[in-house]
Amino acid sequence: MTQKLRPGDMIGVLGSGQLGRMIAMAAARLGLRTHIYCPDPGPAFDVCAQFTVAAYDDEEALAAFADSVGVVSYEFENVPAKTAAFLAARRPVRPGARALATSQDRFAEKTFLNGIGVATAPFAAVDSIDDLRAAVEQLGRPSILKTRRMGYDGKGQILIRETQDLGEAFQAVGCAPSILEGFVPFAREVSVIGARGLDGSFAAYDVCENEHEDHILAHTMVPARVSEAAALAATDMAGHIAAELDYVGVITVEMFLVEDGMEQRIVVNEIAPRVHNSGHWTLDGAVTSQFEQHVRAICGWPLGSPRRHGRIEMRNLIGAQGNDWERLLSQPGLCLHLYGKHEARPRRKMGHWTKVTPEG
Ligand code: AMP
């Protein structure tokens, strides 16, 4: 199996959304071609050399896809384990099965993190209403009930307040295998986006500070308002997690910053084994974008510099905000990115803009 790709080779990406689109565009800049595989056509199809529309369990289509590429990656963490295993028997899948299995299940993820000495919210497995009662007894209120699998953008989770009926809460997550998490009284939400190369090298961007609206990322600022010590601890944690997962590619670690008086502490919320919305600013604001960095890593190439060009502000355009494109284009200094989605449905990520202010 080839470990390293060469310019002119094809990379494979599962998923046809904006992340796949921006990976394909970065790959093209480095002389690579991209084959996108997805059950549904999406914005990545507009910019790739080849695409396949087929189900993730269509072994004939998966085999043909694998034959056409030198490496397989993905833009979302819920790639079915069977699909990943089928592809991995034919081509390197980067990041690998361990990263996928760990990040797909919140219980496995937190158990792994605590096992390597990384702090998370306190948690307990919940498989029944009796488990939920015992977990709330143990972790108190407020706490958060989350499905173990398939939750994103606030889906599959419910805040257990003082007055919340537990039977209704368990119903609200579909009585699915879940975890209860103790509530972390965080001051800010931050993320570390790093990359680990095939040779074990690691490079991280400066810590990003993220604000969510209605559970969707709205705004990222870099540098984050964190102490130097907390920033260093956060970055070291991301490197440690990547090394323990024997990771290849861009990894995102979402974290809570907790302030105890003058002390700042980092608590990890979750791992995304992929490029991330809070790293979109790197397209305009860093020497190497997260998308290029991911391509470099999965191709077995040297990592690029993550150095920032200045102070960063990134805003997502969600739903109807995307209709504002013409006004945004006329703002000097804004770098606008539109994902080519035709319909501005509510909660849909239509694009983003970045403003880079050079630092004195
Ligand atoms: P998640 O789906 O785990 O990323 O959670 C979505 C959002 O819910 C996070 O970005 C936080 O704003 C909030 N949240 C999740 N878990 C906790 C927690 N244990 N304590 C406090 N807030 C949380």
Side-chain angles (χ1 to χ4, degrees), residues 106 110 121-122 144 146 151-155 157 181-186 189 212 215 254 256 269-270:
R106 292 185 193 274
K110 287 195 164 56
I144 304 185
K146 301 180 179 179
Y152 66 95
D153 288 349
K155 293 194 181 91
Q157 57 178 272
E181 285 184 27
F183 191 85
V184 179
F186 60 83
E189 292 190 71
H212 297 83
H215 287 286
E254 296 180 24
F256 300 126
N269 178 26
E270 62 183 3

Side-chain angles (χ1 to χ4, degrees), residues 5 10-27 32-40 44-45 47-54 56 62 65-66 68-76 79 83 87 92-95 274-275 291 294-295 298-299:
L5 274 70
M10 183 98 85
I11 65 168
V13 176
L14 304 174
S16 67
Q18 64 269 15
L19 301 181
R21 175 183 173 100
M22 291 185 271
I23 292 170
M25 288 160 77
L32 292 154
R33 294 172 304 139
T34 303
H35 186 163
I36 302 279
Y37 186 110
C38 192
D40 310 295
F45 279 19
V47 299
C48 61
Q50 202 176 332
F51 58 79
T52 298
V53 181
Y56 287 126
L62 286 172
F65 169 69
S68 75
V69 301
V71 63
V72 174
S73 191
Y74 41 88
E75 63 152 18
F76 68 112
V79 174
T83 308
L87 292 168
V93 174
R94 296 175 184 152
R274 55 172 170 81
V275 291
F291 304 101
H294 187 66
V295 169
I298 64 169
C299 288

